[in-house]
Amino acid sequence: MPTPELRTTDSPAAPAPRLPWPALLAMSTGGFVTIMTEALPAGVLPAMSADLGVGQSAAGQSVTLYAVGSIAAAIPLTAATRRLPRKRLLLIAVGGFAAANAVTAVSSNYPLTMAARFAAGLVAGLLWALLAGYARGVVAPEQRGRAMAVAMAGSTVALSVGVPVGTLLAGLVGWRFTFGLMSAIAVALTGWMLLALPELPGRSDRDRTPVRQVLRTPGVAAVLAVTATFVLAHNVLYTYIAALLAPLGLDGRTDTVLLVIGLSSLVSILGTGALIDRHLRPLTVAASVLLAVAALLLAAALLGPTGWPAYAAAALWGLGFGGAATLLQTAVADAAGPAGDIAQSLLVTCWNLGIAVGGLAGGLLLDHSGPTALPWSALVLLAAALATTLAGRRHAFPGRARHSVV
């Protein structure tokens, strides 16, 4: 395997090659489609449940089944398909979104709709495990962080802009039309990827690394632990943000607070893209600190006479969370080296477990202790994430950039 060329300080540095923008933007659009498919039911739940003839809690399981599909698929599908060409797999995954969203758009049968949502989660687990390695594989080693930031930006755009716009569109023309539109976008994206993505080979059996050995690779387990605790803290708050805002007199301003989170997330992903190749460790530390301060402001607002700190909390929340996926995927890819695809599948599993457990644990806390318990619980989790990040100086989150061969 070739070793990355080292530049000497005596020779002038060659200009860095340009990023392959069409390929990276196509990958970013893939992330956009994935997050839109995952999150859109939350915005159209009343209409969706009415059309399917079930209660909103039953319709809400469309999100749960999507997450379960992602958890179930990420590791086994990534391992089973490691020998296949990467481009073909990515096209299959995006085609799976087109099919699943089309079925969701036309189905009036609840079990069939839930099966389509589970299938969408399966291809999402595969796509997320592919995207990071693909983005890193089409650029020079010193550009991998920026390439990851571009490829992951679509998911941030989906959360900050796409879901609110999709919800508005569903209110105007119906939720089925919105899912149909997402299917059409996925079909168009397959054509774009076919033209824009370079071919990348799969891994040979000689390069195969068992999951147990990947977990023992120095730094990998620490990155996964930070992922689980950080995402769990985020989702304890995010899933029940309306319940957090109601005691502050902001129950009618949930959309505004979400917009602030979304816009600051966009700022975060831009900053992450510019700095990640040189400052992965401080950026990861800052992510936990910013989200912890946001949780502390929410806790203070719940104890105080005014709810204005919620807007400041939302801005810091977005700054902390927006670049987190890029930071953590880069860290685990650097730590795992040639086993990066398996490591990414483990990270996807931890991320979705954080989503699922966050919703469950947050609901239990809300029922038994009220909304005040949510930010304090998030603070405990973020303290654990921060401590693990600080302890991972050598392998998980090194102080200097490390360009592994992927």
Side-chain angles (χ1 to χ4, degrees):
M1 186 172 291
T3 302
E5 182 181 351
L6 296 177
R7 298 190 182 99
T8 65
T9 56
D10 297 329
S11 59
R18 295 185 62 183
L19 289 176
W21 285 102
L24 292 175
L25 289 175
M27 296 180 215
S28 185
T29 306
F32 177 87
V33 170
T34 305
I35 294 298
M36 285 292 293
T37 302
E38 176 183 12
L40 191 57
V44 300
L45 211 56
M48 190 177 184
S49 64
D51 277 4
L52 294 174
V54 297
Q56 289 193 37
S57 60
Q61 298 313 302
S62 60
V63 178
T64 304
L65 281 172
Y66 184 102
V68 170
S70 294
I71 293 169
I75 296 173
L77 274 185
T78 300
T81 59
R82 60 180 283 107
R83 298 177 59 187
L84 296 178
R86 306 289 92 182
K87 183 173 180 177
R88 184 190 308 172
L89 276 179
L90 204 53
L91 290 170
I92 290 171
V94 176
F97 279 113
N101 282 327
V103 171
T104 303
V106 301
S107 171
S108 57
N109 180 271
Y110 177 74
L112 178 60
T113 301
M114 294 302 105
R117 294 292 299 171
F118 181 77
L122 291 177
V123 294
L126 177 61
L127 184 140
W128 281 126
L130 284 171
L131 272 188
Y134 216 127
R136 292 166 63 88
V138 300
V139 298
E142 65 272 17
Q143 296 176 313
R144 286 174 177 162
R146 281 197 295 155
M148 284 272 291
V150 175
M152 296 298 113
S155 59
T156 303
V157 173
L159 284 173
S160 60
V161 179
V163 173
V165 171
T167 302
L168 176 64
L169 184 63
L172 295 174
V173 295
W175 69 273
R176 294 184 183 278
F177 176 88
T178 309
F179 274 100
L181 179 61
M182 293 309 304
S183 179
I185 291 173
V187 170
L189 180 58
T190 58
W192 182 4
M193 286 183 164
L194 195 61
L195 295 173
L197 294 185
E199 297 286 350
L200 279 184
R203 302 282 186 184
S204 68
D205 285 338
R206 291 178 303 173
D207 300 326
R208 184 170 184 175
T209 308
V211 171
R212 189 175 301 174
Q213 184 176 333
V214 176
L215 285 170
R216 290 200 297 262
T217 302
V220 169
V223 178
L224 297 179
V226 172
T227 301
T229 49
F230 185 89
V231 176
L232 179 56
H234 164 78
N235 280 280
V236 163
L237 297 173
Y238 194 84
T239 306
Y240 300 99
I241 187 167
L244 277 168
L245 296 177
L248 306 177
L250 298 175
D251 43 331
R253 301 282 183 169
T254 302
D255 53 351
T256 306
V257 173
L258 288 175
L259 181 61
V260 173
I261 294 173
L263 293 177
S264 59
S265 293
L266 292 177
V267 174
S268 176
I269 198 69
L270 290 172
T272 298
L275 300 172
I276 187 173
D277 287 310
R278 298 186 304 274
H279 303 292
L280 173 65
R281 179 179 175 81
L283 286 173
T284 309
V285 170
S288 290
V289 170
L290 286 167
L291 192 52
V293 174
L296 194 58
L297 284 172
L298 286 172
L302 287 167
L303 296 174
T306 176
W308 71 263
Y311 291 102
L316 294 175
W317 188 343
L319 288 174
F321 186 75
T326 302
L327 294 169
L328 295 167
Q329 287 184 299
T330 299
V332 83
D334 282 350
D341 54 350
I342 298 297
Q344 293 293 339
S345 69
L346 291 167
L347 187 139
V348 170
T349 301
C350 288
W351 191 283
N352 281 283
L353 279 171
I355 293 173
V357 176
L360 176 62
L364 291 172
L365 285 169
L366 190 64
D367 288 342
H368 290 88
S369 303
T372 307
L374 299 178
W376 294 111
S377 300
L379 274 170
V380 172
L381 292 165
L382 290 164
L386 180 60
T388 306
T389 302
L390 293 173
R393 175 180 292 277
R394 185 172 180 185
H395 297 293
F397 303 98
R400 298 184 64 184
R402 174 179 56 192
H403 300 310
S404 61
V405 177
V406 177

